[in-house]
Amino acid sequence: MINRVRRIINREFSRLNKVTLVFLVVFLLIQIVASYVIYTGAWSHLTTEWLREILIATVALLAAGALALFILYRSRMRLLREIGRAMGGELHALNMANDRARALQEMASTLRATLSFERVVEQALDACSLALEDMGVPRAALVGAVFLYDGQELVPLARRRFLGIDEEKTLAGQRGVVGESLRQAEPMVTDNPAHDPELQHFTTFADALTVVSVPLRAGYQLFGVMVLGSDTAVRFNEDHFQLFTAVADHAVIALQNAQLYQRLEDEKQRLIASDEQARRDLARDLHDGPTQEVAVMAMRLSYIRNMVLQDPQKAQVEIEKVEELARRTSREIRGMLFTLRPLLLETRGLGPAIDEMMRNIAESDGIEMHLAGADADIILNSTAQSVVFTIIEEALSNARKHADADRIEVRLWQEDDLFVVQISDDGRGFNAQRVSDESVARGSLGMTNMRERAERINGSLQVDSEPGAGTTVTLIVPLTAGNRESEANQREPAVP
């Protein structure tokens, strides 16, 4: 590009030189002719004075022409130098911009290819070192680290030329350049890091002459800060700050992706643990219930077979007992199958499904069951209904197994923009706070699962109980756009 501009300038100046020479020759000829006409007309003959005047005028004209050509030459050289300097600076800036764009593109490619936050941050530090290289400072002069919040403190994660003595140190992020950048949510620079209230405790920054602090944020949420230092004094401009901000934005995206992946991984593990717990509970219920009863029926049938010829009337009584036991076992199995896959929930909704589940409990356990507000479920979408049903089923199961209750009541109602479910029993109750603490300590999944399921639909769960005073479980679900049944789903389809 520079060579092309130089060729154009040289060509134009060569053309200008030729025009100047032509102008001099023409002017010289005009001068000679004019002088000849004047002198021959005035004195009618040539004199030596005429020749001397012509010679002086010619020499003066040639000197003026040479001076003009020299001025054009110097102007051309000065113009070439200025253009070369300007275009060199522009090309350098363009090359640095390309390098920055390439570094950001590599970070974006790393984001697509990996969920490792550490790899992205390493590339972020590489990209930031371009700002030093832009000012003629070697990349090796860069020191720094990415600090992320761990509670109220900033802990160094990814480090560049960070001394081992500083790896365990943390930042409060309240004072100095770090605190100011976090408060302003903008990059901040200090030229005296050795006297910074927080950075002065880090040996890594003891020899640094310039330190920049770049906050890592998404919206109003702060994740941490990137602190970069140079042992050479530098002056960062707006382009450098834009680079730092872009790098920080990419790092925040990588951090959010890593956190999201970790949450998904934790959720997957919780689902696996919950599924395993459900399988263990089902196996225990089958072993303690239907399996034992089937074994009893087998023993009674063997007894009846030996008795049927000796005492038919007594055998008839035993057969009736086996028949009643088989009916009870069948009801228990149907209740278990209903809990595993409540088809009624999918076809008729939450209210009928709860009603059917409570009927099964009343038949199998003889507990008095009451359901109020069954028609209030229509305001929930199918996902929320499924979660609410699972929580109610867990609460009823706990009441059956542990409360020794005679009466259980389930109430559903809407209160403003909230859907409320309350499960109450008149059982023996328990110390809710102590049981909750013990459940967390031993990793019990019962109450924890109910709370986690409630959180999936942005709900909250509260358990109120005292020994001898029964238990009340309250589930509150906000009727947000995700939990509320849409008007289109609530309207009856038009009849064609």
Side-chain angles (χ1 to χ4, degrees), residues 370-375 409-413:
H370 291 274
L371 175 62
D375 57 345
E409 181 181 11
V410 177
R411 297 178 59 233
L412 294 77
W413 73 91

Side-chain angles (χ1 to χ4, degrees), residues 155-157 159 162-170 202 204:
V155 179
L157 179 61
R159 296 169 285 270
F162 213 70
L163 299 180
I165 193 174
D166 293 333
E167 291 184 355
E168 301 300 324
K169 297 179 181 179
T170 61
F202 287 81
T204 301

Side-chain angles (χ1 to χ4, degrees), residues 49 86 109 342 367 392:
E49 288 186 10
S109 299
I367 301 175
I392 294 175

Side-chain angles (χ1 to χ4, degrees), residues 78-118:
R78 184 169 60 253
L79 182 60
L80 288 174
R81 284 196 303 271
E82 293 297 328
I83 290 178
R85 186 180 299 111
M87 294 193 65
E90 292 296 328
L91 287 176
H92 177 73
L94 181 60
N95 290 332
M96 293 306 301
N98 288 336
D99 291 340
R100 290 193 290 266
R102 190 179 303 110
L104 294 176
Q105 184 179 8
E106 290 177 358
M107 288 185 64
S109 299
T110 304
L111 281 175
R112 292 192 297 267
T114 181
L115 290 171
S116 173
F117 176 67
E118 288 78 6

Side-chain angles (χ1 to χ4, degrees), residues 172-207:
Q174 302 296 325
R175 300 183 298 161
V177 66
V178 175
E180 185 66 18
S181 68
L182 290 174
R183 282 191 296 272
Q184 299 294 332
E186 293 180 356
M188 293 290 172
V189 178
T190 177
D191 294 325
N192 195 12
H195 293 85
D196 186 89
E198 295 191 12
L199 296 181
Q200 65 180 348
H201 302 295
F202 287 81
T203 308
T204 301
F205 299 113
D207 297 329

